[in-house]
Amino acid sequence: MASSVIAIDGPAASGKSTMARMLAERLNIPYINTGSLYRAIAWKALKLGIPCKDAARIADMLETTRVRYAVPPEGGNPDIEIDGAFPGALLRTQEVAQGASDVATLPLVRRFTLDIQRDAAKRQLVVMEGRDIGTAIFPDAAHKFFLTATPEARAKRRLSQGGETPDGATVASVAAEIAERDRQDSERAVAPLKRADDAIFIDNSGLSIEETLQLLLKHVKGNES
Ligand code: DC
C-alpha cells in the first residue's frame, strides 16, 4: 500500500511551501514542513556554540536531542518540538537557514531525521514538503510532485515579497545566485535535490498560485477516483 503522504519537493523559492500549506488546507489534512527539522537541529547547535558542519559534535548533540512533530499549544499544523519546546519563528532567521543548509549535508543528520519524518505521517494522510520526500523519505508516497520555476521567475517572486518592482539587473543577479544554488543542491553527494522518476513535474513560472493549486488538486483527486 502507498504511504499516506502527498510529497512536494522542489528547489528554494519554487513556491512549494505556499502550495503545500494551501493544498493541506483545501484537503483539510496536516501540513508538514521538513525544512524546519534541519533548522531546529541547526538552531540547537548554534545555541550551544557547535559549528553546523562539525559532524562529530553534531552527532554527540543528537544523542541527547529529542525531536518530533507535534501540534503546538496554540493549535494548527504539527510543528517541530525540540527538547520539549516549540522554537517556531526562531527558526526563520538567516543564520539558522545557513546552519540548516550545513547540517542537511551530514549523512548522520539525514539518518536522524528519517524516522522523525516517517513518524509524522503514521496516523493520517499529510502533505509533506521538502527536497527528498518523494525520493528518500517516502519513495512510495501516494502522490508526488516536483515543483519548480525558472530562476528568473523565482528571483522576481522573492524580490517582490518586499512590495517593490525590481529592476532587470537586480532580477538577473538574484536569478544567477538561485541558479548557482540549484546546481550545488543537485550536485551534492548527500541527498541531492532531484526529481523522483514518478513525480509529477510542474513548472509554475507562468502560473498563478490558484492555477498551480488547481493542478495539484486535479491530480490528487483524479487518482482517488
Ligand atoms: O526549506 P527550508 O529553507 O526551510 O530548508 C532549510 C534547509 O534544509 C535547506 O538548506 C535545505 C535543507 N532541507 C533538506 O536538505 N531536505 C529537506 N527535506 C528539507 C530541507
Side-chain angles (χ1 to χ4, degrees), residues 34-35 38-39 92 100-101 104 110 117 130-133 188:
T34 61
Y38 299 93
R39 286 173 183 258
R92 310 319 303 174
S101 167
R110 307 229 60 114
Q117 292 170 88
R131 305 292 194 286
D132 61 347
I133 309 305
R188 73 178 181 207

Side-chain angles (χ1 to χ4, degrees), residues 31-210:
Y31 156 60
I32 307 280
N33 174 326
T34 61
S36 301
L37 192 44
Y38 299 93
R39 286 173 183 258
I41 293 169
W43 175 72
K44 180 171 178 183
L46 290 166
K47 265 202 318 177
L48 296 175
I50 297 173
C52 289
K53 287 183 179 165
D54 188 331
R57 291 185 65 195
I58 297 280
D60 275 353
M61 181 190 92
L62 291 181
E63 298 242 331
T64 54
T65 300
R66 286 166 300 112
V67 190
R68 62 172 186 153
Y69 282 94
V71 175
E74 67 273 20
N77 283 301
D79 204 355
I80 285 291
E81 185 187 41
I82 180 162
D83 299 331
F86 289 95
L90 297 175
L91 303 182
R92 310 319 303 174
T93 69
Q94 194 43 46
E95 190 192 14
V96 170
Q98 182 53 51
S101 167
D102 293 338
V103 299
T105 64
L106 302 175
L108 72 103
V109 168
R110 307 229 60 114
R111 282 196 295 278
F112 180 84
T113 56
L114 186 68
D115 285 342
I116 298 167
Q117 292 170 88
R118 289 190 175 156
D119 278 352
K122 262 198 181 135
R123 285 162 288 280
Q124 68 167 117
L125 182 67
V126 301
V127 178
M128 192 172 282
E129 172 234 322
R131 305 292 194 286
D132 61 347
I133 309 305
T135 50
I137 312 299
F138 288 104
D140 61 345
H143 305 280
K144 294 185 194 179
F145 297 99
F146 191 89
L147 218 60
T148 191
T150 61
E152 288 71 26
R154 285 149 61 199
K156 275 191 198 146
R157 279 182 206 156
R158 178 165 286 174
L159 288 165
S160 56
Q161 275 166 6
E164 285 171 33
T165 311
D167 63 72
T170 312
V171 171
S173 113
V174 174
E177 277 170 34
I178 287 178
E180 172 57 18
R181 221 173 107 188
D182 283 357
R183 193 191 58 74
Q184 276 177 22
D185 287 349
S186 314
E187 291 178 3
R188 73 178 181 207
V190 177
L193 172 69
K194 78 174 190 346
R195 175 191 166 193
D197 292 337
D198 53 350
I200 292 164
F201 179 86
I202 299 177
D203 181 330
N204 63 18
S205 306
L207 300 178
S208 68
I209 290 178
E210 188 58 32

